[in-house]
Amino acid sequence: MRIGVSGTTFIGKSTFISDFLEIWSSYKTSVIKEDVDLKVGKTNEKIQENILKYMLKQHKKYKRRDKVIFDRCLLDNLVYTLWAHDKGIVKEKYVQKSIDRLRESMKYLDIIFVVPMSKVSSVNAMVTEDEYVFMTELDHIYKGVFYQWANNKNCTLFPRDDKPALIEIFGSQAERIALARMYLNDSGDPIDATPTIEKLGDIDDMQKLIDDQRELQKRKL
C-alpha cells in the first residue's frame, strides 16, 4: 500500500503522518521535502521539473505490496505548477507536460489522503499574511482537483483505470486518524479505498473512532 499525504502548506501533514505511524508502525515514511521558497510562493519551471523528477524517482522505488506513506507526492507538484501557471510563472506547455506525466505516474500510488483547509481543520502554525494568502490559493486548487476526481469520470488529470483513491481527512488529530481508520484495517491494509456517503455518514462508528483516538492521545500525555 503506497499512500501519499497532500495539502497546502502548514496544514498538518507531517503531524498526521507522525500520528499515522504510531498506529500503523509497519509503514515506512518517505519525506519529499519542498523547496523553502515554495512556502512563500517562489518557484519556476526548473524548480518544478526538479521536484517532479525527484518525486517520480521516490515513488518508483515501491511496489503495491510495500507499505509506505509519502509526506507530499506527485499531486502536490501538479498543484504548485497550476498555481505558478495562474501567476504567469510557468507556461501552459509545461503545465500540459506535467499533467501528462502525472497521469502516467498515478499507478505508483494507491491512496492519497488530502488535508483541506476548513472550519474544523485549523492552521497548525503562525503564518504571515502573505503565507496565508498563498496557502489559501493552493487549497482552492487542491479542492478543485478533488472535485474533478470525484465528479468527472473524463478528468484528464488521472488515468481512467488505475487511479489512486483521493480521500479528504480533516478535523483534529484524532479525527483525521479516525477517518483513516475507515479505510485501513489494523494491519494497514485497505478496507475499502472508495469513499462513500454511507461510510462517512455512519456517525456512531465515526464518533467511536474519534473517542478512541482521543483516549489514546490522553494516555500519551
Side-chain angles (χ1 to χ4, degrees), residues 1-170:
M1 177 66 69
R2 301 155 300 180
I3 299 174
V5 179
S6 293
T8 189
T9 56
F10 303 118
I11 199 65
K13 297 182 295 297
S14 297
T15 300
F16 168 74
I17 290 175
S18 178
D19 294 339
F20 180 100
L21 293 173
E22 288 195 21
I23 305 297
W24 293 284
S25 58
S26 59
Y27 275 75
K28 64 177 68 175
T29 185
S30 179
V31 180
I32 300 179
K33 296 180 179 179
E34 65 181 81
D35 188 286
V36 174
D37 285 343
L38 291 183
K39 291 183 178 179
V40 290
K42 295 180 181 177
T43 191
N44 54 48
E45 287 187 13
K46 183 178 179 180
I47 291 175
Q48 291 305 107
E49 179 70 13
N50 288 340
I51 294 174
L52 175 59
K53 288 180 179 178
Y54 177 74
M55 286 184 169
L56 273 172
K57 183 179 178 180
Q58 294 301 306
H59 289 329
K60 287 179 178 179
K61 288 181 179 180
Y62 301 97
K63 305 298 182 183
R64 197 180 298 271
R65 65 178 178 272
D66 296 323
K67 289 184 177 179
V68 59
I69 183 165
F70 295 96
D71 191 340
R72 294 191 174 274
C73 66
L74 289 162
L75 178 61
D76 299 278
N77 179 257
L78 176 65
V79 168
Y80 278 69
T81 296
L82 292 171
W83 176 90
H85 172 64
D86 183 61
K87 300 299 181 182
I89 299 170
V90 303
K91 297 178 181 178
E92 184 173 350
K93 183 177 180 180
Y94 181 76
V95 173
Q96 189 57 55
K97 177 183 175 182
S98 293
I99 290 173
D100 292 342
R101 293 169 75 178
L102 174 80
R103 186 169 56 246
E104 293 300 317
S105 303
M106 282 292 98
K107 60 185 178 183
Y108 299 118
L109 290 166
D110 303 303
I111 292 177
I112 301 177
F113 287 126
V114 183
V115 186
M117 291 178 68
S118 71
K119 292 181 179 178
V120 293
S121 291
S122 59
V123 177
N124 291 331
M126 296 294 293
V127 297
T128 66
E129 183 176 348
D130 288 344
E131 287 171 338
Y132 187 80
V133 168
F134 175 54
M135 67 184 297
T136 301
E137 290 175 344
L138 286 177
D139 184 68
H140 288 160
I141 300 174
Y142 279 106
K143 287 172 179 171
V145 171
F146 184 87
Y147 179 86
Q148 289 297 316
W149 176 89
N151 297 283
N152 182 5
K153 65 180 180 180
N154 296 317
C155 176
T156 60
L157 298 177
F158 301 96
R160 288 190 178 185
D161 300 323
D162 193 12
K163 64 181 180 179
L166 261 64
I167 299 169
E168 285 191 326
I169 53 170
F170 46 84

Side-chain angles (χ1 to χ4, degrees), residues 172 174-176 178-179 203 205-215:
S172 66
E175 289 166 337
R176 292 176 183 184
L179 282 168
I203 302 300
D205 287 348
M206 178 67 177
Q207 190 60 51
K208 184 178 185 304
L209 287 167
I210 291 170
D211 292 341
D212 287 346
Q213 295 309 310
R214 284 176 175 162
E215 183 62 30

